[in-house]
């Protein structure tokens, strides 16, 4: 069962995140803000195509929320801006890094490393200000999201292709210096597709034999 509290109006690019690490003594050790351009599933999902942008007003709001509950540690805070009011609406606070944290680290904000150093009692300096203009893609999920968006008329093939040509673009899986995760992912996809085809063919042949026997 589920309970719908409120649907926040606006396109997928109104989804924004704040990632932060707060220390009970040192305070804010690092932060990152990002804007989701596409999400999977389309319309209400996780970021599959994301851009590094600095949103200081959003950071201020997130820190106020965390401060109200005396939160410390890693935080992944999800918001969406309501296009009717222009206000950021809080979705949830997750006590972990984001699924697309690789973008944070490539932008110079390595929150997992800082959290490790902090928990190990080792000295750590606050993270530098994030680099902006970098983007991230989880290609397999992004392709599925694009397929839905194209059927809805929300994204053309040309616009999607141009987004994949953007540089610098950080891939969740694909990397020339470490190709095996991508190879394994596609092999699993091929095996799963072959299994579904075999099962479908088996059901079709079984149905055909059943019809012949009944005659």
């Amino acid at each position: 069962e589920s309970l719908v509290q409120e649907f926040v109006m606006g396109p997928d690019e109104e989804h924004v995140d704040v990632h932060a690490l707060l220390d009970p003594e040192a305070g804010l050790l690092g932060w990152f803000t990002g804007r989701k351009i596409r999400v999977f599933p389309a319309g209400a999902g996780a970021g599959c195509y994301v851009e590094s942008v600095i949103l200081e007003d959003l950071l201020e709001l997130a820190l106020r929320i965390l401060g109200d509950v005396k939160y410390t540690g890693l935080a992944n805070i999800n918001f969406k801006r309501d296009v009717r009011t222009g206000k950021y609406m809080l979705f949830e606070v997750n006590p972990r890094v984001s699924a697309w944290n690789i973008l944070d680290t490539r932008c110079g904000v390595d929150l997992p490393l800082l959290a490790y150093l902090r928990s190990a009692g080792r000295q750590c300096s606050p993270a530098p200000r994030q680099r902006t203009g970098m983007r991230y893609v989880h290609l397999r999920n992004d392709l599925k999201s694009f397929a839905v968006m194209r059927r809805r008329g929300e994204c053309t093939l040309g616009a999607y292709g141009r987004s994949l040509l953007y540089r610098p673009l950080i891939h969740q899986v694909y990397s020339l210096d470490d190709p095996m995760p991508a190879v394994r992912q596609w092999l699993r996809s091929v095996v799963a597709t072959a299994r579904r085809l075999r099962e479908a063919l088996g059901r079709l042949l079984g149905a055909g034999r059943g019809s012949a026997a009944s005659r």
Side-chain angles (χ1 to χ4, degrees):
E1 296 181 359
S2 61
L3 171 65
V4 178
Q5 294 176 300
E6 181 179 2
F7 186 83
V8 180
M9 300 299 295
D12 288 348
E13 56 263 32
E14 297 295 348
H15 287 272
V16 286
D17 274 17
V18 175
H19 305 160
L21 175 63
L22 291 95
D23 185 271
E25 298 177 358
L28 183 62
L29 290 179
W31 61 272
F32 176 93
T33 53
R35 178 173 66 93
K36 301 174 183 177
I37 298 175
R38 290 188 292 270
V39 301
F40 174 76
C48 57
Y49 190 87
V50 184
E51 183 176 23
S52 168
V53 293
I54 291 180
L55 302 167
E56 293 188 349
D57 55 339
L58 183 66
L59 174 66
E60 181 181 346
L61 173 60
L63 293 179
R64 188 163 69 246
I65 293 171
L66 296 177
D68 286 345
V69 296
K70 297 180 173 56
Y71 186 101
T72 60
L74 286 166
N76 171 17
I77 314 155
N78 308 141
F79 296 89
K80 184 178 180 181
R81 192 181 72 90
D82 192 325
V83 295
R84 298 168 298 185
T85 64
K87 294 182 178 180
Y88 291 115
M89 305 296 288
L90 174 66
F91 278 11
E92 58 184 358
V93 179
N94 300 293
R96 56 169 173 79
V97 296
S98 168
W100 40 272
N101 184 73
I102 186 174
L103 178 62
D104 303 26
T105 59
R106 296 293 181 87
C107 290
V109 184
D110 196 338
L111 296 179
L113 175 60
L114 290 176
Y116 165 75
L117 293 174
R118 170 179 167 271
S119 63
R122 297 170 60 179
Q123 184 177 2
C124 61
S125 300
R129 191 176 179 86
Q130 74 186 75
R131 292 191 292 272
T132 59
M134 301 181 74
R135 293 183 180 180
Y136 154 95
V137 64
H138 188 302
L139 188 58
R140 185 171 62 173
N141 289 346
D142 196 48
L143 286 167
K144 296 175 183 177
S145 181
F146 164 66
V148 174
M149 295 176 69
R150 189 182 185 191
R151 286 197 298 269
R152 294 175 179 171
E154 298 172 354
C155 186
T156 65
L157 181 59
Y160 182 73
R162 287 191 295 273
S163 72
L164 296 184
L165 294 175
Y166 183 91
R167 295 295 182 271
L169 182 63
I170 311 302
H171 285 259
Q172 175 73 21
V173 177
Y174 303 105
S175 176
L176 292 177
D177 60 358
D178 186 15
M180 287 309 298
V183 171
R184 290 179 63 87
Q185 183 185 82
W186 284 106
L187 282 176
R188 285 197 299 269
S189 296
V190 169
V191 170
T193 300
R195 183 173 60 250
R196 288 194 296 269
L197 289 173
R198 185 172 63 250
E199 292 172 352
L201 182 61
R203 288 192 296 270
L204 181 63
L205 293 176
R209 286 194 295 268
S211 298
S214 63
R215 289 197 298 270

